[in-house]
Amino acid sequence: MADQKLPTPVEWLDSRLGVLGSGAKKNGSGGIRKVYPEHWSYLLGEVALYSFVILILTGIFLTFWFKPSMGEVEYQGSYGLLKGLHMSEAYASTLDITFDIRGGLLVRQMHHWAAVLFIASMMVHLLRTFFTGAFRKPRELNWVIGFTMLFLGIIEGFIGYGLPDDLLSGTGLRITNGMIQASPVIGTYLNFFIFGGEFPGSTFVPRFFTVHVLLLPGLLLALTAAHLFLIVYHKHTQWAGPGRTEKNVVGYPFFPDYVAKAGGFFFVVFGVTTLMGALMQINPVWLYGPYNPAEVTAGSQPDWYMGWLEGSVRIMPGFESHFWGITLSWNLLIPALIVPPAFVTLVALYPFIEGWITGDKREHHLLDRPRDAPTRTGIGVAFIVFYALLWMGGGNDLIATHFGVSLNHVTWFLRFAVVLGPIIGFWVARRWAISLQRADRDRLMHGLETGVIVRSPEGKYTEKHQTISRYESDTLTARETIEPYEVGPETDDNGVRAPRRVLNKARAALSRFYYADVVQKPTAQEIEAAHSGDEIHELTEDTETYREVASGDGGRGDQ
């Protein structure tokens, strides 16, 4: 029974989550002696985690005085320019927190800056995970969890941005209202459900408040716990190097080393956020005034993480269609309700797409350098260029006014650039990565050029090369030999035609494209043959230094 093969879905889940209790075998010693590798890029995830903690702490403070109500009051607070003006209780309480509660402005700005850092650090952390291949088996689910956290964080930030009920946030909500109403059939119903009536309604602030302080934080806390559990279960990925394999982790133990460093880094993040809240003004709602549906803030811009969505709407040509009494506004449907969900879905499912194309079913615990996967790197750069151009579109009016160019020219340029830019970015990044692979192969085969020309007794002139250190050599040769997916024979031994032949041919074609022009690492025999024909100068001092570092853990662990 122990040798019986598990159903494929159960086996897949067990390899990722340990649903059958295989986690104990996989984690070995675990506990406080669990080893964590050391690299600056691992701090990106910690910045996100600590920013989330700061958001919770500052959010608790703000809930003591914020009034999530759209009831109308006459402002009689400390800010003289708005005194006597009618506004919602939400906006009035925001002004009270800012000007009348001791430390209120500091905490408000800390809360806003922590939200910006939370989303920014998650984005950069996901980029690092993408470009290094840390999402591969068995961490595909953790990629989906992390991306879901980013998506929920953006929604959480946008909802919190709308709570003060000022003119700027109201303008953003008005744009959202238009996007919702553009949804065929369900648009008006969904709009009434969210806003409690015709926009702006009278209940959206209390509804948003409940979602902002209860629902989304609860989901984020649950996903954070699941994310950290899977990190502990699967162990950390690590960069390739001497002594590092797919079956060990080289680094520092959880206690006391990692605990001390993580605790100190939390206070660094907290301190920097406090300085930003104290010295860098953000979202000065008192300058905008209360929201009025009849007014629009000139030059209004959303928080940066929503800029790409607004940009997609701004640069889309305006056209619509009419079918059976239904109007389809394509200028909103495509940029707001088709392109963003498609983009988000593609990014979320990318680990499974790449795994299917490459046919790679192995577990990966060593990270790739971006140059080691040129096509993946090109795809990542294409995503970044696409996002950046849409983000620029969200500020097309400011670009036009600041640089003194026509708004129409900026918009038309972005319409073409958002299509051509990702293609160009993909090609440049991919060729760049392949060139770096060739440079690495040359260093392995022939060493580094010294510029020293020597003459042999036979009169032959050659350049003296020096070998790279063993540390660098091990790093460059850590990547595996690439083998594209092959279709296989059309029929089996019994003459039965192989199933899904057309699909497998498409998969093989995509695999060949994915691995096209990739420079394979040289074999040991090729390196030895190349060195025997070159003038090589050994760096014995560097080699001995490497051996001393590799032989002693210097306080590090190896799990």
Side-chain angles (χ1 to χ4, degrees), residues 33-55:
R33 297 302 298 174
K34 180 173 177 61
V35 171
Y36 287 81
E38 184 181 36
H39 193 269
W40 66 267
S41 63
Y42 298 121
L43 299 179
L44 296 170
E46 294 186 29
V47 172
L49 176 62
Y50 301 151
S51 298
F52 185 48
V53 173
I54 296 171
L55 280 170

mmCIF file of all heavy atoms in Angstrom, residues 33-55:
data_model
loop_
_atom_site.group_PDB
_atom_site.id
_atom_site.type_symbol
_atom_site.label_atom_id
_atom_site.label_comp_id
_atom_site.label_asym_id
_atom_site.label_seq_id
_atom_site.Cartn_x
_atom_site.Cartn_y
_atom_site.Cartn_z
ATOM 1 N N ARG A 33 16.613 26.221 15.048
ATOM 2 C CA ARG A 33 17.895 26.056 14.360
ATOM 3 C C ARG A 33 17.722 26.065 12.845
ATOM 4 O O ARG A 33 18.665 25.772 12.123
ATOM 5 C CB ARG A 33 18.564 24.740 14.787
ATOM 6 C CG ARG A 33 18.909 24.673 16.251
ATOM 7 C CD ARG A 33 19.831 25.809 16.657
ATOM 8 N NE ARG A 33 21.106 25.756 15.954
ATOM 9 C CZ ARG A 33 22.038 26.713 16.043
ATOM 10 N NH1 ARG A 33 21.800 27.791 16.773
ATOM 11 N NH2 ARG A 33 23.179 26.600 15.381
ATOM 12 N N LYS A 34 16.522 26.382 12.383
ATOM 13 C CA LYS A 34 16.301 26.439 10.940
ATOM 14 C C LYS A 34 17.217 27.494 10.338
ATOM 15 O O LYS A 34 17.390 28.582 10.882
ATOM 16 C CB LYS A 34 14.838 26.770 10.641
ATOM 17 C CG LYS A 34 14.546 26.850 9.148
ATOM 18 C CD LYS A 34 13.080 27.016 8.875
ATOM 19 C CE LYS A 34 12.838 27.160 7.374
ATOM 20 N NZ LYS A 34 13.289 25.966 6.643
ATOM 21 N N VAL A 35 17.775 27.173 9.166
ATOM 22 C CA VAL A 35 18.787 28.025 8.547
ATOM 23 C C VAL A 35 18.132 28.969 7.539
ATOM 24 O O VAL A 35 17.273 28.567 6.761
ATOM 25 C CB VAL A 35 19.864 27.160 7.861
ATOM 26 C CG1 VAL A 35 20.804 28.017 7.028
ATOM 27 C CG2 VAL A 35 20.641 26.388 8.917
ATOM 28 N N TYR A 36 18.561 30.226 7.575
ATOM 29 C CA TYR A 36 18.094 31.245 6.632
ATOM 30 C C TYR A 36 19.297 31.779 5.858
ATOM 31 O O TYR A 36 20.266 32.233 6.462
ATOM 32 C CB TYR A 36 17.399 32.390 7.369
ATOM 33 C CG TYR A 36 16.047 32.027 7.910
ATOM 34 C CD1 TYR A 36 15.918 31.334 9.111
ATOM 35 C CD2 TYR A 36 14.889 32.355 7.220
ATOM 36 C CE1 TYR A 36 14.679 30.986 9.610
ATOM 37 C CE2 TYR A 36 13.639 32.015 7.708
ATOM 38 C CZ TYR A 36 13.537 31.337 8.898
ATOM 39 O OH TYR A 36 12.312 30.985 9.384
ATOM 40 N N PRO A 37 19.255 31.732 4.536
ATOM 41 C CA PRO A 37 20.371 32.275 3.744
ATOM 42 C C PRO A 37 20.421 33.794 3.870
ATOM 43 O O PRO A 37 19.438 34.446 4.246
ATOM 44 C CB PRO A 37 20.037 31.852 2.311
ATOM 45 C CG PRO A 37 18.560 31.664 2.312
ATOM 46 C CD PRO A 37 18.187 31.187 3.677
ATOM 47 N N GLU A 38 21.592 34.343 3.549
ATOM 48 C CA GLU A 38 21.794 35.782 3.705
ATOM 49 C C GLU A 38 22.014 36.426 2.334
ATOM 50 O O GLU A 38 22.902 36.040 1.587
ATOM 51 C CB GLU A 38 23.000 36.062 4.603
ATOM 52 C CG GLU A 38 23.199 37.542 4.875
ATOM 53 C CD GLU A 38 24.419 37.792 5.747
ATOM 54 O OE1 GLU A 38 25.417 37.060 5.588
ATOM 55 O OE2 GLU A 38 24.376 38.706 6.579
ATOM 56 N N HIS A 39 21.176 37.387 2.010
ATOM 57 C CA HIS A 39 21.337 38.182 0.788
ATOM 58 C C HIS A 39 20.437 39.396 0.926
ATOM 59 O O HIS A 39 19.332 39.316 1.481
ATOM 60 C CB HIS A 39 20.970 37.374 -0.452
ATOM 61 C CG HIS A 39 21.405 38.024 -1.733
ATOM 62 N ND1 HIS A 39 20.602 38.897 -2.441
ATOM 63 C CD2 HIS A 39 22.568 37.946 -2.444
ATOM 64 C CE1 HIS A 39 21.238 39.322 -3.513
ATOM 65 N NE2 HIS A 39 22.429 38.755 -3.546
ATOM 66 N N TRP A 40 20.880 40.544 0.415
ATOM 67 C CA TRP A 40 20.103 41.772 0.601
ATOM 68 C C TRP A 40 18.721 41.684 -0.018
ATOM 69 O O TRP A 40 17.768 42.309 0.472
ATOM 70 C CB TRP A 40 20.856 42.967 0.000
ATOM 71 C CG TRP A 40 20.998 42.920 -1.501
ATOM 72 C CD1 TRP A 40 22.038 42.412 -2.215
ATOM 73 C CD2 TRP A 40 20.031 43.368 -2.456
ATOM 74 N NE1 TRP A 40 21.798 42.521 -3.560
ATOM 75 C CE2 TRP A 40 20.570 43.109 -3.746
ATOM 76 C CE3 TRP A 40 18.785 43.973 -2.364
ATOM 77 C CZ2 TRP A 40 19.897 43.426 -4.912
ATOM 78 C CZ3 TRP A 40 18.112 44.284 -3.536
ATOM 79 C CH2 TRP A 40 18.674 44.022 -4.783
ATOM 80 N N SER A 41 18.550 40.904 -1.083
ATOM 81 C CA SER A 41 17.248 40.853 -1.756
ATOM 82 C C SER A 41 16.173 40.204 -0.901
ATOM 83 O O SER A 41 14.978 40.428 -1.128
ATOM 84 C CB SER A 41 17.378 40.111 -3.090
ATOM 85 O OG SER A 41 17.764 38.769 -2.890
ATOM 86 N N TYR A 42 16.576 39.382 0.101
ATOM 87 C CA TYR A 42 15.578 38.780 0.971
ATOM 88 C C TYR A 42 14.901 39.827 1.864
ATOM 89 O O TYR A 42 13.829 39.575 2.418
ATOM 90 C CB TYR A 42 16.214 37.705 1.848
ATOM 91 C CG TYR A 42 16.810 36.559 1.065
ATOM 92 C CD1 TYR A 42 18.158 36.235 1.170
ATOM 93 C CD2 TYR A 42 16.041 35.793 0.206
ATOM 94 C CE1 TYR A 42 18.714 35.195 0.444
ATOM 95 C CE2 TYR A 42 16.576 34.750 -0.526
ATOM 96 C CZ TYR A 42 17.916 34.460 -0.401
ATOM 97 O OH TYR A 42 18.456 33.426 -1.124
ATOM 98 N N LEU A 43 15.522 41.000 2.007
ATOM 99 C CA LEU A 43 14.948 42.038 2.852
ATOM 100 C C LEU A 43 13.706 42.666 2.224
ATOM 101 O O LEU A 43 12.924 43.318 2.926
ATOM 102 C CB LEU A 43 15.993 43.133 3.128
ATOM 103 C CG LEU A 43 17.261 42.684 3.859
ATOM 104 C CD1 LEU A 43 18.211 43.864 4.037
ATOM 105 C CD2 LEU A 43 16.930 42.067 5.204
ATOM 106 N N LEU A 44 13.525 42.502 0.923
ATOM 107 C CA LEU A 44 12.360 43.102 0.270
ATOM 108 C C LEU A 44 11.066 42.548 0.861
ATOM 109 O O LEU A 44 10.112 43.299 1.105
ATOM 110 C CB LEU A 44 12.418 42.839 -1.228
ATOM 111 C CG LEU A 44 13.597 43.484 -1.966
ATOM 112 C CD1 LEU A 44 13.676 42.956 -3.398
ATOM 113 C CD2 LEU A 44 13.476 44.998 -1.964
ATOM 114 N N GLY A 45 11.010 41.238 1.056
ATOM 115 C CA GLY A 45 9.827 40.641 1.664
ATOM 116 C C GLY A 45 9.641 41.099 3.099
ATOM 117 O O GLY A 45 8.502 41.279 3.563
ATOM 118 N N GLU A 46 10.749 41.313 3.815
ATOM 119 C CA GLU A 46 10.639 41.776 5.191
ATOM 120 C C GLU A 46 10.123 43.207 5.255
ATOM 121 O O GLU A 46 9.361 43.571 6.156
ATOM 122 C CB GLU A 46 11.995 41.659 5.892
ATOM 123 C CG GLU A 46 12.461 40.225 6.061
ATOM 124 C CD GLU A 46 13.728 40.129 6.894
ATOM 125 O OE1 GLU A 46 13.930 41.003 7.753
ATOM 126 O OE2 GLU A 46 14.503 39.188 6.676
ATOM 127 N N VAL A 47 10.534 44.055 4.293
ATOM 128 C CA VAL A 47 10.003 45.419 4.250
ATOM 129 C C VAL A 47 8.483 45.384 4.092
ATOM 130 O O VAL A 47 7.749 46.133 4.759
ATOM 131 C CB VAL A 47 10.648 46.221 3.101
ATOM 132 C CG1 VAL A 47 9.957 47.573 2.935
ATOM 133 C CG2 VAL A 47 12.127 46.426 3.362
ATOM 134 N N ALA A 48 7.987 44.508 3.227
ATOM 135 C CA ALA A 48 6.537 44.374 3.041
ATOM 136 C C ALA A 48 5.870 43.927 4.331
ATOM 137 O O ALA A 48 4.826 44.471 4.730
ATOM 138 C CB ALA A 48 6.245 43.395 1.907
ATOM 139 N N LEU A 49 6.449 42.929 5.000
ATOM 140 C CA LEU A 49 5.860 42.419 6.239
ATOM 141 C C LEU A 49 5.834 43.491 7.322
ATOM 142 O O LEU A 49 4.809 43.703 7.991
ATOM 143 C CB LEU A 49 6.645 41.193 6.719
ATOM 144 C CG LEU A 49 6.216 40.585 8.054
ATOM 145 C CD1 LEU A 49 4.785 40.082 7.979
ATOM 146 C CD2 LEU A 49 7.168 39.457 8.460
ATOM 147 N N TYR A 50 6.938 44.195 7.498
ATOM 148 C CA TYR A 50 7.006 45.199 8.558
ATOM 149 C C TYR A 50 6.143 46.418 8.230
ATOM 150 O O TYR A 50 5.574 47.044 9.130
ATOM 151 C CB TYR A 50 8.454 45.619 8.787
ATOM 152 C CG TYR A 50 9.359 44.463 9.181
ATOM 153 C CD1 TYR A 50 10.718 44.455 8.871
ATOM 154 C CD2 TYR A 50 8.844 43.351 9.843
ATOM 155 C CE1 TYR A 50 11.536 43.393 9.211
ATOM 156 C CE2 TYR A 50 9.657 42.277 10.181
ATOM 157 C CZ TYR A 50 10.999 42.305 9.859
ATOM 158 O OH TYR A 50 11.801 41.248 10.207
ATOM 159 N N SER A 51 6.015 46.757 6.950
ATOM 160 C CA SER A 51 5.113 47.842 6.568
ATOM 161 C C SER A 51 3.674 47.472 6.894
ATOM 162 O O SER A 51 2.879 48.329 7.319
ATOM 163 C CB SER A 51 5.247 48.143 5.073
ATOM 164 O OG SER A 51 6.549 48.576 4.751
ATOM 165 N N PHE A 52 3.330 46.209 6.710
ATOM 166 C CA PHE A 52 1.983 45.747 7.049
ATOM 167 C C PHE A 52 1.739 45.868 8.556
ATOM 168 O O PHE A 52 0.643 46.273 8.987
ATOM 169 C CB PHE A 52 1.802 44.313 6.580
ATOM 170 C CG PHE A 52 0.417 43.761 6.777
ATOM 171 C CD1 PHE A 52 -0.691 44.484 6.379
ATOM 172 C CD2 PHE A 52 0.219 42.517 7.342
ATOM 173 C CE1 PHE A 52 -1.975 43.984 6.549
ATOM 174 C CE2 PHE A 52 -1.053 42.003 7.514
ATOM 175 C CZ PHE A 52 -2.149 42.731 7.119
ATOM 176 N N VAL A 53 2.746 45.525 9.351
ATOM 177 C CA VAL A 53 2.620 45.677 10.811
ATOM 178 C C VAL A 53 2.412 47.150 11.179
ATOM 179 O O VAL A 53 1.566 47.487 12.012
ATOM 180 C CB VAL A 53 3.868 45.109 11.510
ATOM 181 C CG1 VAL A 53 3.820 45.409 13.012
ATOM 182 C CG2 VAL A 53 3.979 43.610 11.279
ATOM 183 N N ILE A 54 3.172 48.043 10.543
ATOM 184 C CA ILE A 54 3.021 49.478 10.807
ATOM 185 C C ILE A 54 1.636 49.955 10.391
ATOM 186 O O ILE A 54 1.009 50.780 11.077
ATOM 187 C CB ILE A 54 4.118 50.265 10.076
ATOM 188 C CG1 ILE A 54 5.498 49.888 10.630
ATOM 189 C CG2 ILE A 54 3.908 51.770 10.225
ATOM 190 C CD1 ILE A 54 6.653 50.444 9.821
ATOM 191 N N LEU A 55 1.129 49.445 9.282
ATOM 192 C CA LEU A 55 -0.218 49.798 8.838
ATOM 193 C C LEU A 55 -1.261 49.413 9.886
ATOM 194 O O LEU A 55 -2.190 50.177 10.169
ATOM 195 C CB LEU A 55 -0.536 49.097 7.518
ATOM 196 C CG LEU A 55 0.038 49.731 6.250
ATOM 197 C CD1 LEU A 55 -0.156 48.799 5.060
ATOM 198 C CD2 LEU A 55 -0.636 51.065 5.981
#
